[in-house]
Amino acid sequence: MHIQAYTVEQVAEMLSVGRDKVYSLLRTGQLKSIKIGKLRRITDRHLADFVSSLESLDEA
C-alpha cells in the first residue's frame, strides 16, 4: 500500500488556491489531514475525499 502525503503548499498549488484557503478548509473540517509531529500533511486519500465531496455538492 502506497500513500502519498502532501504539504499545505503542495495542495494549494494542486487546487490552484492560496495557502490560507487550504488552512481555512482544514480548520472547517472540509479537508482532512494528519499530523506527523508538528508537521501537517494531507494524504492523497484526504484530497480525493475532498474533491469527491465538491463533486457531490455540484451535482445536487
Side-chain angles (χ1 to χ4, degrees), residues 22-58:
V22 176
Y23 278 114
S24 174
L25 293 168
L26 291 168
R27 263 193 311 280
T28 61
Q30 291 176 273
L31 179 60
K32 304 290 183 202
S33 67
I34 56 173
K35 278 193 87 172
I36 304 170
K38 292 184 177 185
L39 304 174
R40 174 90 38 208
R41 294 292 181 260
I42 298 130
T43 67
D44 46 1
R45 178 60 175 236
H46 294 134
L47 203 48
D49 289 347
F50 172 69
V51 171
S52 188
S53 74
L54 292 178
E55 290 171 344
S56 299
L57 289 174
D58 199 35

